[in-house]
Amino acid sequence: MEEGEHRQAPFNLFGLPVYRREMEMPLSTKGIVVCLFLFVLNLAAAIEIPLSVRQLPTITEQSTSEVGFPFDEEFTIKCEAKGNPPPIFNWTKDGKPFDLQGDSRIVTSRNSGTFIIRNHGSTSVFQGKYRCYAGNEVGTAVSEEVELIVPGIPKFPKEMIDPIEVEHGDSMVLPCNPPKGIPPLHIYWMNIDLQHIPQDERVSMSLKGDLYFANVDENDSRSDYCCFAAFPRLRTIAQKMSMKLTVTRCKENVVVLIEDPEKCGLKKRDAMAVSILLMQMHGTVLEPGDESDLGLGLLPSQQMDTRVNRPDCGLSVP
């Protein structure tokens, strides 16, 4: 038996033992075979199809989706194809034939389906869904749909926002309602001086961008709550009209006591009338039974007039 041969168990053929021999391929030989195989593949890829052989067009390069930003000088929509004879390119926009020669802002190249749109303003007319067709006498290749988006500048509507008044301790929400635009969207709450509104467990921003107050206090009162919507891809920040928030306390009842009516030039019988008059001036109604108490009345502390305090005659508000 020669080197490299393997002899296996015989099998019977017409009653006679038959032996099979197998040859092992050295590793160096295997490497040569692999190299030859790869060489043949590369050679086949490099061979150009003769001009006499007709070839169906094939799309080799195309755009997917494009965004025409306002600050871009031009927008490019690509479509390249090969075939024999060389293909002729045509486009449709939103399902209808689109003439590349119909607008002076469109620039085309010879033997190419790619075209460029120069941004000279009013480019929103080019927004739509495009499709490229590369055809010759053999057939036609069709590209995937290419969507061109020409976004506008996001803006908040011009509106007059009424002042908001809430009582101390109440919960409330300042709405943002940002305009639509190309994501991502970042929302900030700041004052007119571009200082961020502090947020914590009590004051926070919702997923929609609204500013939520779990319970308001007097420090929340201000007239310049502003919502800012930032669109990084559009390089744009939109500002909403400022909102005024006023936090008030519940009206507290205080006692008006006339200690010595005579020092105020009042007779004893008139003291009750003065107390009632003071309370009526400030919109307060006496509770039943208060009329019997000389010089006793109730006043809303937030509406109190400084003239009520007369220490010289004992007329004071404790």
Side-chain angles (χ1 to χ4, degrees):
M1 183 183 300
E2 297 180 1
E3 183 180 356
E5 293 184 359
H6 292 279
R7 194 168 184 179
Q8 297 184 354
F11 63 92
N12 291 325
L13 181 64
F14 303 114
L16 300 174
V18 177
Y19 293 90
R20 292 183 299 179
R21 292 187 299 177
E22 294 182 356
M23 295 290 292
E24 278 190 354
M25 183 182 293
L27 291 177
S28 59
T29 306
K30 291 182 180 180
I32 294 174
V33 172
V34 172
C35 291
L36 286 174
F37 179 72
L38 295 175
F39 173 76
V40 171
L41 289 179
N42 292 333
L43 183 63
I47 295 176
E48 292 289 342
I49 298 176
L51 295 177
S52 59
V53 178
R54 298 189 304 171
Q55 182 187 11
L56 184 71
T58 304
I59 302 293
T60 59
E61 185 179 6
Q62 70 168 76
S63 299
T64 51
S65 61
E66 297 290 332
V67 178
F69 295 107
F71 45 81
D72 289 339
E73 294 183 357
E74 57 187 31
F75 323 129
T76 301
I77 300 182
K78 296 180 179 180
C79 179
E80 301 294 340
K82 66 178 182 179
N84 194 18
I88 298 174
F89 296 89
N90 291 286
W91 285 89
T92 60
K93 176 177 178 289
D94 298 329
K96 299 178 181 180
F98 181 68
D99 183 11
L100 298 181
Q101 309 301 323
D103 196 303
S104 60
R105 291 173 290 180
I106 298 179
V107 180
T108 59
S109 301
R110 188 176 180 181
N111 298 326
S112 172
T114 299
F115 64 94
I116 298 173
I117 302 174
R118 299 190 186 280
N119 187 359
H120 294 163
S122 301
T123 54
S124 59
V125 296
F126 293 107
Q127 178 166 294
K129 297 179 179 180
Y130 294 80
R131 197 180 291 274
C132 174
Y133 295 81
N136 60 15
E137 60 188 34
V138 182
T140 302
V142 183
S143 73
E144 297 292 334
E145 190 175 73
V146 182
E147 183 175 11
L148 175 62
I149 302 172
V150 183
I153 302 298
K155 296 180 180 178
F156 281 100
K158 292 183 178 180
E159 57 182 342
M160 294 299 297
I161 304 177
D162 295 331
I164 302 172
E165 185 173 321
V166 293
E167 290 187 355
H168 181 276
D170 287 351
S171 63
M172 63 91 55
V173 178
L174 291 179
C176 180
N177 300 325
K180 293 183 178 180
I182 295 179
L185 165 65
H186 303 297
I187 296 178
Y188 308 95
W189 280 91
M190 294 185 281
N191 59 23
I192 202 67
D193 296 323
L194 303 183
Q195 296 177 338
H196 287 271
I197 302 297
Q199 297 185 29
D200 49 31
E201 295 180 354
R202 189 179 62 84
V203 182
S204 59
M205 187 173 66
S206 70
L207 295 177
K208 297 190 302 180
D210 299 335
L211 193 62
Y212 173 75
F213 295 80
N215 51 83
V216 295
D217 60 29
E218 287 87 346
N219 294 328
D220 296 322
S221 294
R222 62 184 314 131
S223 60
D224 57 352
Y225 282 97
C226 297
C227 179
F228 291 83
F231 299 87
R233 294 186 66 188
L234 295 174
R235 304 180 192 176
T236 299
I237 298 179
Q239 177 185 348
K240 186 172 185 175
M241 297 291 292
S242 60
M243 290 173 273
K244 181 178 181 180
L245 173 64
T246 303
V247 179
T248 62
R249 282 192 173 273
C250 297
K251 295 179 180 180
E252 299 176 353
N253 292 328
V254 297
V255 176
V256 177
L257 177 62
I258 303 179
E259 297 176 350
D260 193 346
E262 294 183 357
K263 290 185 178 181
C264 296
L266 298 174
K267 295 182 180 181
K268 191 173 182 179
R269 66 174 182 271
D270 296 327
M272 182 62 185
V274 172
S275 295
I276 295 175
L277 177 60
L278 287 172
M279 287 182 287
Q280 289 177 344
M281 288 174 60
H282 292 277
T284 303
V285 178
L286 286 174
E287 294 294 332
D290 290 340
E291 300 89 344
S292 60
D293 297 326
L294 183 64
L296 191 61
L298 301 176
L299 280 178
S301 60
Q302 295 294 327
Q303 301 179 8
M304 206 159 33
D305 194 320
T306 57
R307 291 175 296 176
V308 172
N309 292 306
R310 289 281 305 281
D312 60 322
C313 64
L315 180 57
S316 62
V317 179

